[in-house]
Amino acid sequence: MATIKHSEIVRASPERVFELLRRVEDFADYSDLIRSIDSLGENRYRWHVRAVGMDWAFDVAVTEITPPHVLAWESLEGVKNQGRYQLREVPEGTEVALTLQYDIRNRLMEKAVNKAAKPLVGKVSRQILERVEARLNA
């Protein structure tokens, strides 16, 4: 499994940041690459993403909710992945650290995705956190 890490500082308290991050279905509002997220009930969601010139869909389950510090998930179907947001209070606000692991079983597709994934995940993560911060400070 490939691992990508990204962190940013959000100028707001961990409680306020976490409250927005736990609303998974709103992530489509925070990134241009996330087409939509459908709630399937019981902390399960179907993500629709457009990346590397392709449409991707995968179902995830939130596996850990520990306010205001941890939000973690793993895929149930589609692209195999798992992720975790770890929030930590810092003098400037909240450090939000994302760890994302994924596995693509098609070798040709894997090469293309691996090349694009790190900058892509960094871009999406930055977009999400910038828009969360903007919403918190609006």
Side-chain angles (χ1 to χ4, degrees):
M1 247 187 194
T3 300
I4 299 171
K5 295 184 178 193
H6 178 259
S7 68
E8 293 273 330
I9 302 293
V10 176
R11 292 179 308 246
S13 71
E15 292 79 12
R16 292 184 68 216
V17 175
F18 187 86
E19 193 55 40
L20 286 185
L21 290 178
R22 77 181 298 167
R23 295 185 208 153
V24 176
E25 60 276 6
D26 289 349
F27 274 48
D29 296 337
Y30 302 143
S31 174
D32 300 333
L33 298 175
I34 302 170
R35 299 291 192 211
S36 64
I37 300 173
D38 304 320
S39 176
L40 304 176
E42 300 179 16
N43 284 324
R44 299 168 95 127
Y45 302 89
R46 178 164 296 133
W47 288 60
H48 302 275
V49 176
R50 176 88 177 153
V52 293
M54 297 183 64
D55 290 319
W56 304 81
F58 49 91
D59 293 353
V60 300
V62 174
T63 57
E64 183 179 354
I65 301 173
T66 308
H69 303 292
V70 177
L71 179 68
W73 64 92
E74 67 182 9
S75 62
L76 301 172
E77 294 179 7
V79 177
K80 183 177 170 115
N81 69 89
Q82 59 189 32
R84 176 182 190 88
Y85 276 118
Q86 183 81 40
L87 285 70
R88 182 174 68 89
E89 189 168 5
V90 295
E92 303 89 347
T94 302
E95 178 185 39
V96 182
L98 168 67
T99 302
L100 179 67
Q101 295 181 307
Y102 66 92
D103 185 24
I104 297 174
R105 297 196 172 117
N106 178 314
R107 287 185 188 203
L108 294 175
M109 189 87 59
E110 181 180 28
K111 286 183 181 183
V113 171
N114 285 346
K115 185 175 181 178
K118 188 170 185 173
L120 191 61
V121 169
K123 176 184 176 179
V124 170
S125 183
R126 269 190 306 283
Q127 266 187 353
I128 288 169
L129 296 176
E130 286 170 1
R131 291 176 185 180
V132 162
E133 183 173 48
R135 186 170 285 183
L136 287 168
N137 294 320

